[in-house]
Structures are given as structure tokens and as C-alpha cells.
Amino acid sequence: MTNKLLISTICSGALLLTACGGGDNNQPSFNSKEKLDFSKKENIEIINETVVSISNEYENPIIEIGTIAQEIHNLISNQNPDHHTVSCQSGSAILNNDSSVTLNNCKNLTVNSNNGSYPIFGRDEVVIASGTIQAKFSQSSNSEKIDLTLINFNIDFADELHTVNGKLTKTSTSMSNDIYRDLFEANQFTYKSLDKLDKTNNYQFIINNYTLTSDYSISTGEIDSNAKGQLTGDVKAKFFSVNFNSHFAFNNIQYLEKMDPSQAKLDIEDINNKQNSIVITRTTNGQALINAYANNRSVMGFPQTIDWIEFY
């Protein structure tokens, strides 16, 4: 599962952000879809790739889409002719009376300032954004919290379309003089990705009861992350629903970005059949050891050892 929603596509700085709270009333139905068979190796790979992608902050599609939405809201709601303005090549970007932002087929959203102009997505291709973004910021003496509500928020690239509905939050807290914590939460958060060139690469998922806690040590640079929740996915025309619980540790941000954990444990369980499960751990030589079970029997081809980077 790959997509073009990378944090690096945003030209100006933005806080990482992910999901929490309620959701929209138009949840996709999976009743007519083929249920994914845990006994097939290729299906295990589909589940692993999806769950690993939301178990850490880096290249996490939930965090990435939230970061983009928050940046857009900040830029539009804080426009000032003496500092910057925001414009669309066509379509519109409007700040509403309730402080929400509505994008209507906004083509090539651009920031204009005395220092020049730049497209928010930093691309040569046409990018069209639509939907409504509501944002609420609050803080205390040692923490900051950002709540987002995304309503039919979508980003349309030449070859990909990403659509999100749901409420999102991120809480950043100074736990001590050394530990800084980011807490991400989500419930009934729906994400869809459409590959216009390869329909077999389309996917959608719903996140429920999702939390991702990431602790960063200022003195050592070490990162310790724990994630858990429920994921219902539709990938390659097959659906699955699993509970997951993970713990990853990284020596520093560079190790996180190249998916090279110093510690790792990820447990995945089929909600519909608890005898179907996947366990991913870190081996002594630093690779990922995958054990997969269907009806409590080891799936053919497992245990399997791969490089962590293969999950990306």
C-alpha cells in the first residue's frame, strides 16, 4: 500500500496530527465484499502492510492527511495582506463564520506573500482539494491539543484521490524535562485511497478505538511508540477486520524514517475468528520475524523473516 501523501510535500512547517473522536454517518459497507482468507500468504501481507503503516508516526496515512488539513486550515484562517494570502487557480477556499474552512474544487492552492508565492503541495502537477475542515486548538501549562473534524475532505492528484471523513485529535505533552509525548486518537475515522491508474491498488479502511502514543527523549533522541485499535479494511477487493496492539522503539528519528526498530512487537487478531492471528517481532539480527496462523495452524510460508523496510 503506497501513496503520495508524504509530509515532505508540504512546503511550510506543520505539526503532525492524527485522528480522534466521532465520525461521519456514511460509513462504507463491507457486506458485499469477499472476506480475506487468513490461510493465504498474500493476504497476510495485505494485513501486515496496512497495520504497520498506522502503528508509527512516519508515513502514517492518518497522520499525513491530518497534517495537510491542519496546515491548510492554519494558512487560510490566519490570512493577513501584510503577511500572506491564500488563493486557488480556480475554485474557492473560504473561511466560514464558524471558523471552519471550506474548499470547493480548489485547484493548486497557493500561498502568496512579500517573499513570493508557492503551492502548498509543492508539486508540478495539478492538485485539487475539496471539503470542510473544522479545527479547535487548546492548551494548558504543559500540553497542547488540536481537534479536527474533516467532512468529505479530499485531495485529488493526477493519478490518486484521497478522501477522509472523521474527527481527529493530537495532544502534545511535556511529561518531564526529558520526555515529550504525542498522543494520537481516532474513532470511526474513514480513509479512502483511489489509484486512477491501477484499480487493484484501491483501498479504504475504518479506524476505531485507535490510540498511538509516541514518547521522544530529548537527551538521547530515542522514540518509544505504542499503538492499538481496531481496523476494518477493504484492500484489493477483499475486506478484513482486526484488533491490533504494537510496541516499537527506535534509536532516533533517522531509524524511524528507515523503519529500523531497536525493539518491536505487533500482535494482530482477526475479530471474526480469534484463531486467526499474526505476530511480528524483531529478530536478534534486526529483521522482522512474522508468524501467521489460520485456525491456530501455521500458514504455509511462515514463519517468515523480511527486512522491516519491506513494510513500506
Side-chain angles (χ1 to χ4, degrees):
M1 182 179 68
T2 59
N3 64 66
K4 297 160 69 174
L5 280 176
L6 302 179
I7 297 300
S8 59
T9 64
I10 297 291
C11 291
S12 55
L15 294 174
L16 289 180
L17 180 66
T18 196
C20 96
D24 72 313
N25 295 322
N26 299 310
Q27 299 293 338
S29 173
F30 299 95
N31 294 333
S32 61
K33 298 290 184 178
E34 176 187 352
K35 184 180 178 182
L36 185 145
D37 184 354
F38 265 73
S39 67
K40 296 182 179 180
K41 182 178 179 181
E42 61 269 24
N43 291 344
I44 299 298
E45 293 173 352
I46 289 174
I47 297 171
N48 291 347
E49 191 174 87
T50 308
V51 175
V52 170
S53 73
I54 61 173
S55 293
N56 290 287
E57 292 183 60
Y58 184 69
E59 291 200 3
N60 183 324
I62 303 172
I63 294 176
E64 291 175 353
I65 197 75
T67 300
I68 293 169
Q70 178 64 27
E71 178 73 353
I72 291 173
H73 188 278
N74 284 345
L75 288 168
I76 293 175
S77 61
N78 293 310
Q79 290 184 86
N80 184 318
D82 295 329
H83 183 256
H84 77 272
T85 59
V86 179
S87 62
C88 308
Q89 185 174 334
S90 61
S92 62
I94 300 171
L95 179 63
N96 301 310
N97 292 334
D98 63 357
S99 298
S100 66
V101 166
T102 296
L103 304 166
N104 183 15
N105 293 319
C106 179
K107 179 180 178 181
N108 294 342
L109 190 62
T110 300
V111 177
N112 311 292
S113 70
N114 293 332
N115 296 323
S117 300
Y118 64 86
I120 287 181
F121 292 96
R123 297 176 179 274
D124 294 331
E125 66 182 280
V126 172
V127 182
I128 299 174
S130 295
T132 298
I133 307 167
Q134 297 173 339
K136 179 182 178 181
F137 177 81
S138 58
Q139 64 183 116
S140 65
S141 58
N142 68 335
S143 68
E144 296 181 347
K145 183 178 181 180
I146 302 172
D147 289 294
L148 284 184
T149 300
L150 304 180
I151 303 171
N152 294 326
F153 177 63
N154 65 74
I155 303 174
D156 192 351
F157 299 106
D159 54 359
E160 292 182 1
L161 173 64
H162 302 269
T163 304
V164 174
N165 277 281
K167 294 184 179 180
L168 306 90
T169 195
K170 175 195 172 185
T171 305
S172 299
T173 306
S174 296
M175 305 301 294
S176 67
N177 290 334
D178 185 54
I179 301 298
Y180 187 84
R181 171 173 293 177
D182 284 335
L183 170 63
F184 307 97
E185 299 172 279
N187 194 46
Q188 297 180 359
F189 180 84
T190 304
Y191 182 98
K192 299 180 183 180
S193 177
L194 171 66
D195 189 324
K196 299 178 182 179
L197 303 180
D198 180 8
K199 292 184 178 180
T200 65
N201 196 38
N202 296 344
Y203 64 88
Q204 65 177 325
F205 54 71
I206 303 172
I207 300 294
N208 282 297
N209 301 320
Y210 172 74
T211 62
L212 169 58
T213 303
S214 186
D215 290 344
Y216 171 76
S217 170
I218 298 172
S219 61
T220 67
E222 294 176 343
I223 299 168
D224 192 89
S225 296
N226 294 276
K228 62 181 180 179
Q230 180 187 107
L231 171 69
T232 298
D234 175 5
V235 181
K236 299 182 186 293
K238 299 177 183 179
F239 89 92
F240 60 92
S241 190
V242 297
N243 289 317
F244 64 94
N245 195 321
S246 70
H247 172 238
F248 285 90
F250 300 89
N251 290 330
N252 54 46
I253 186 65
Q254 288 75 28
Y255 281 88
L256 170 62
E257 290 176 351
K258 62 182 181 180
M259 193 54 183
D260 185 6
S262 57
Q263 299 180 52
K265 176 72 180 297
L266 173 59
D267 294 307
I268 304 172
E269 181 184 75
D270 183 1
I271 290 176
N272 299 305
N273 182 355
K274 296 186 183 303
Q275 293 184 327
N276 298 336
S277 62
I278 305 167
V279 179
I280 306 175
T281 56
R282 182 184 184 276
T283 66
T284 54
N285 65 352
Q287 291 187 300
L289 174 64
I290 306 172
N291 284 280
Y293 305 91
N295 294 316
N296 275 345
R297 295 184 178 181
S298 184
V299 176
M300 184 177 295
F302 294 91
Q304 179 188 28
T305 302
I306 65 173
D307 293 330
W308 284 101
I309 197 65
E310 291 186 35
F311 288 115
Y312 287 163

